[in-house]
Amino acid sequence: MEWGGEYSLDSSNLDCLLSVLPGELEFQQVLGDLDEKIKKNSSSIEQCLKDLQSEVNEICTDEMLQSTTDCLQWLNNCSFSSLRPSSTHHGQLMEFLRTLQSLLKNEQNQEEMILHFLLDLSSQCGVSFPCTPSGTSFELTSSLHAIEDDSTMDVKSLWDDIRLHLRRFLVSRLQSQEETKANALQQQMEFKTQCIQQLLFLYPESEVLMKYQNMQNKLVSDLLQNCVLSSCGETNFDKVVHGYQSSIPTLCTMIKEDLYILSGTIDPSSSLKFINETYLDTITEEITVLLERLCELQFKENALHIVKTNKISKKHRGTVHAVASQECHKKGRNFCLTLYQLKCLSQLIKLFLLMEEKMEELSAEILLVPSFTEKNKNVQGVLKKASGELLIGETRANETSVPPEQLLQVEEPILLNFGWRNAFKDLSSSVAHCITIAIEDFSTKILQHEQKEEFSAAGYAMSLVNNQQMRESCGAVQQEEQPKRIAKFCSDIMEELDTLLPLALACRDDSLQEIRANFVEACSKVATAVLARLEEKSRDVPSKAPLQDLHAALSTAIYVFQHFTTYSNLMRETSKKPLFLVPLQQYQEFINDLQFQVTSYCVRVCATSILQDAESHHWEDYKAFYEGERCSFSVQMWHYFCCALHHDLWTILPPKTAQEILTDVLEQSLAMLSSRYCQACPSYKRTPQIRTDIAAILMSTEVMLWSVCSSVQEFLNPHEDRHLKIYKIHSHCNSMLSVLAILTSPLKNLYETFLKNSDEHLPQDFSNVFYHPLHWLFCIPSPCSSLLKTPSAREMAAKGQLKLLLSQPYCNLNLLLETLLHRDCLLVKILLRSSRNEVLNRDEQSSLLERINNKQPTLIETIFTVLSYCTLSPKSLGIAFETYMEKEQLWSCLYNMTVSSCGESEPEVIRCLKLTLINSVKGIVKQIISLMHSWEATENYGTYQHKQIVPESLLKTVPKEWNYTPREMKRKESGKCFTRLAAQAVSIVISKLPTVIACLPPPIKYFFFLAERKMSRNFAELKKAGLLVWNLIVIICRIFEDGNTAELLTGATLDRWSKEKLSLVRVCLESIMGKLKSGPKQVTQKVIQSIEQQRPNWIESQLLKARKLSTDCASVSEEGAMLEEGGVALGFTEQKINMMVLDICHKPGGSEYLRQIYHIIRLNEEYLKEQLSCENSSEDGVASSQCLPLTLKGREEQPVFNPFQVYRQSCAKVFNQSTITEWNWDWSNLLPSYLGLNQMTFRVLLTHRSLIKILRRTSPNTEPWGTPLVTGRQLELTPFTTTLWAYPSCQFFTQ
């Protein structure tokens, strides 16, 4: 049933913005809502046209309109001056105007009342008051009722005097509003819009805009002059920059206001023309004058310096000065600029670039017009002949048969035109000349200073600084690619170049191209000089400088490469050819060579120094190595070296590069160790040492493996194609484990294992036997097995997930989100459980209050926001907070939610839920208030009712032909009109509810679905519409009940009348939801009955539709959970996690919330590990009274590598000799895993056993099952060699 009748006026505005990608049901609801609004508006427009058609037919009897199409055509072609005027007696008109004039002159504060009265006359009676320019003839005409024009000077002077008085009043209000700035921005814009619309009622548009433009122009000029030229004395670059820094934000706010004001008053082209002439042209003129003055002062200063210099010569002083002055004038008065002056100009240009960008955003947002950059694009218009043939673009450009007057004249659209670049044209040649000198000068000084410091210092270590600048200036660089520490001299140089970069970015015109060309050329020279210095630094390693300098040189080179890549991308908009091509290529080659040099040097150190241990590796010695109670020194030193390398890479290099280098070093060193231990032939006493060494190597590798793997999939299931290096690491470890099993296991167990499977059970094709890469991890005496589940499960334990996250060199957002959602948000539950004591802890109380006062999100608010953003995991929010809500007894708070101010005593979860729901209904509240204002403006209720009443003396003078009825009399007869207004407001709320729920995030909907399960039966019966629908309507009612909240939420101003009517709408909504304790009032019953008469059962169907949308999402989540439990989907795929992280980072504060959670997890690493270890115990037993530290107490310092701390940790965890030597190896389970081992490999390893060697010397007959033994000289060790030894030693060094 279509909505019709008196409730047809509805809005097509879809206020609920789709912040998330909706599901199928939600998408259908949104499209259906849009379609319904379009149909309603089309029917309303058609009804309005029919009403207009009937009214015109009544008035214009000579021209009858047959249809609405004729009505539209008539409106398009009609001339209002041709309408039949109604006669108004000259005496009555004079009396009426004199009464108005007398009231304005003799009575105070009557202007607003008279303006409303005149507007009421015009709208109610159709009287068209003359809107002629000042000083023209007086013409009173009307579209429906025209005043007879007597063309007398008395009438004209009277009306001019009246509207002049009213204009002064309105202009004074506009100026006073500008001076006070006391009101909010929204209220100020509404007030100024009203004033300008009233001025347009009195004067023509051109005159009003000119007057308003003069006002705003004076404000702009005064603002710039007060900010820049406020202080007396000489103007310099400093004053100009600081002045514009303080004035441009204010100017942007003023432009935003005027764009909003004019967008609802005049067309977009006129609005842009107004902005161009009022603001942009004025700013350009002011900066042009200032720069000319600065140029003049600088030129005089340089000329004076030349004169003083030439005074040394006794001859031709005057001639030289005159010639110098003439040459300077001929050359355009070039002069020298210092580096500081160039920086000031660059700062000034940066301000204009930011303002230009802001103007583009505002024009696109408010007026939907193209930006500055689209102005110069070639637009191929569509030309049309008189005969109808189309001429498109350049295809018919050469045809001259069509006369120009027959072509369609296409006007070029008016765009924003900010010509601030023209002000810098006179400076361009001087800036272009001086920028090259300045860049070469400061870069040379910095490099020389760095070289002096190196020679004066005792050591050769490079001075490093933290890279904070890259994170601020080059946001396009991903965090995993950002260097952490760089050379100080390079940071100083790039900081200076960043300061001068806006000079090159401003070059859009040909006159400024020279500046960019010189900047690019100077930067290229600087890049070459820095590269030469870095190459020199890298050659000093290891003879003069430590290995850290190699890492620092690599990190610095990456930093410079990324910086100049960003420069090139920023200047690509104005340059058609690539910039910095040669320097970038040189840096890329240097980075590749240096990364290979770092890797090869570390591997070479391991091969030639660390692992060369004659005492430990004397395998044929018949004496036990330290009585078999420790591993080899070389293995322990290799572990220390890897730990130190890990620290240096993690603290200096970009995370991605650091992981690549550590992976390469670990893989190649393991290949070397695997080859050596496969060739070892230990004596009987040295056999335990082999077992201890390999166990220590595997345990050390397990420690490093968490750092080199960047994802769970890469750790648990490395693929040979995608994760080749990780796959090789596992392969080397499994090879060493096979050496340990066959070479050191008891011969009896070995014999029994292989004898039982030597015949039919042993497969003939051993290459088809599959071994999982993680096999070795579950066979070593390490806590790793508790961090992992079975290899086939493709899932990691929660503690392992946490360890993998904290082992990364940076905050890996994908891994962080995966850890938070792992095992039904187990880690989040621990954080929430620990945060319960946050407020109770006295030490943390002050910091918590500071965060609340500073509007910094707390831990609970941060977790809630992040999980509410996880639209692809709708159950996570409810699962994470379910236990917390129960222990805090917060479920009952959802059944009586209020809209009071969020105080300290209110639970944070309830506050977050409330803010989410309030934001979702903000559009409905704005629409209802807008309806109230439009009703108030149409029917003159509300504000006008409480203003001064029109005097009886003025009402008596109104000509009777106008048929004016005072509003006070109409109001007494229109009591039932409010029923129509209230019904319309209630229908808007009810009709919007399904769309609001469709646009809510799925986690919020599932949270309320979970809360409904916790409700008692009484509540369930009370809230048949659903808890979510109930709370949305309750929040809307509370907003309508408290007018201050409505004003704060929408920025609108509500008078007493509007607040009363909003309160009545609230009563109607409460009556619909059955919340009223007493019976509904008579007015409420009329409102609801009127809606039901128009649409029977419509309210109930809308509420059921809203409930269905809120529960369908939850049922979909339940089905997804059942599928996951059934084994269809285990955990979250990398693609799903990546999509959720991208979605979170695009939400307000999303990435910052994730990093805050990561920071808290890292601060409480040991506590969280302890809690995760007790995850199987009861909640009460696990709960701890510890309060989580949320911030660092002091300043975070750069971590320093402490070898003694590594030694203590290694002794306790990795190299715990008692753990290794006393480990009870389960040979019966370990040995059968090697039944598929290659026969050749098995025989070779078997011959290395000490007992087999003794048997060979005493009885060299056969192996236990009759196969001849293979001697050591016949061994083929190809499977254990690596490509490392195939290279000559000279290839490990770079030139």
Side-chain angles (χ1 to χ4, degrees), residues 127-164:
V127 177
S128 178
F129 290 93
C131 188
T132 57
S134 301
T136 59
S137 61
F138 183 68
E139 296 178 358
L140 279 173
T141 59
S142 173
S143 58
L144 299 179
H145 301 282
I147 303 174
E148 186 178 8
D149 182 14
D150 294 328
S151 301
T152 60
M153 291 303 297
D154 293 336
V155 174
K156 176 185 179 304
S157 60
L158 278 174
W159 174 244
D160 282 348
D161 185 59
I162 291 170
R163 63 176 184 165
L164 179 62

Side-chain angles (χ1 to χ4, degrees), residues 771-999:
Y771 294 99
H772 196 276
L774 268 66
H775 170 70
W776 63 276
L777 278 173
F778 293 89
C779 300
I780 60 174
S782 144
C784 178
S785 57
S786 64
L787 305 180
L788 304 173
K789 295 189 175 182
T790 57
S792 59
R794 294 181 294 138
E795 190 177 358
M796 188 177 287
K799 194 174 180 181
Q801 192 92 28
L802 177 64
K803 183 174 183 179
L804 182 63
L805 170 66
L806 298 179
S807 299
Q808 301 302 302
Y810 70 111
C811 176
N812 189 330
L813 298 183
N814 287 24
L815 198 54
L816 171 62
L817 184 60
E818 188 175 358
T819 305
L820 294 176
L821 300 179
H822 185 70
R823 290 280 309 278
D824 290 338
C825 305
L826 178 60
L827 187 65
V828 175
K829 292 177 181 178
I830 295 175
L831 290 172
L832 292 175
R833 188 169 63 227
S834 304
S835 66
R836 293 173 58 194
N837 303 304
E838 183 179 356
V839 182
L840 302 177
N841 191 302
R842 294 181 180 179
D843 297 333
E844 296 290 333
Q845 179 73 18
S846 59
S847 62
L848 179 65
L849 292 178
E850 289 177 2
R851 285 197 301 275
I852 293 176
N853 295 331
N854 297 333
K855 296 183 179 180
Q856 295 181 1
T858 59
L859 175 60
I860 295 178
E861 183 180 351
T862 303
I863 293 174
F864 180 92
T865 306
V866 168
L867 293 182
S868 65
Y869 288 162
C870 296
T871 56
L872 297 180
S873 178
K875 291 182 60 179
S876 300
L877 179 66
I879 291 175
F881 279 89
E882 184 176 6
T883 306
Y884 178 81
M885 295 283 289
E886 289 175 355
K887 291 200 171 183
E888 295 293 321
Q889 299 178 356
L890 298 178
W891 290 118
S892 59
C893 298
L894 295 178
Y895 311 142
N896 296 290
M897 192 176 290
T898 60
V899 195
S900 58
S901 59
C902 299
E904 300 172 10
S905 59
E906 186 177 26
E908 293 177 75
V909 182
I910 305 302
R911 183 178 61 193
C912 294
L913 282 170
K914 182 194 302 181
L915 290 176
T916 303
L917 298 185
I918 289 175
N919 288 329
S920 67
V921 300
K922 188 184 295 184
I924 295 179
V925 176
K926 285 183 177 180
Q927 189 171 342
I928 298 300
I929 291 178
S930 176
L931 176 67
M932 294 290 176
H933 286 168
S934 62
W935 187 278
E936 179 182 340
T938 304
E939 301 294 333
N940 254 349
Y941 281 95
T943 304
Y944 183 77
Q945 181 181 0
H946 302 287
K947 299 293 179 181
Q948 293 172 319
I949 300 176
V950 180
E952 189 67 28
S953 59
L954 180 59
L955 292 175
K956 290 180 180 179
T957 61
V958 177
K960 295 182 180 180
E961 293 83 357
W962 294 355
N963 296 324
Y964 174 69
T965 303
R967 285 294 176 186
E968 289 75 13
M969 295 179 63
K970 284 191 67 178
R971 190 174 297 114
K972 295 177 182 178
E973 301 173 358
S974 60
K976 64 177 182 179
C977 290
F978 176 71
T979 304
R980 180 183 173 196
L981 171 65
Q984 190 173 349
V986 171
S987 66
I988 288 176
V989 174
I990 301 300
S991 64
K992 287 283 186 179
L993 277 177
T995 306
V996 169
I997 291 180
C999 297

Side-chain angles (χ1 to χ4, degrees), residues 475-486:
V477 180
Q478 298 294 330
Q479 188 184 3
E480 61 180 7
E481 297 177 355
Q482 292 180 4
K484 293 184 178 179
R485 306 199 78 200
I486 57 175

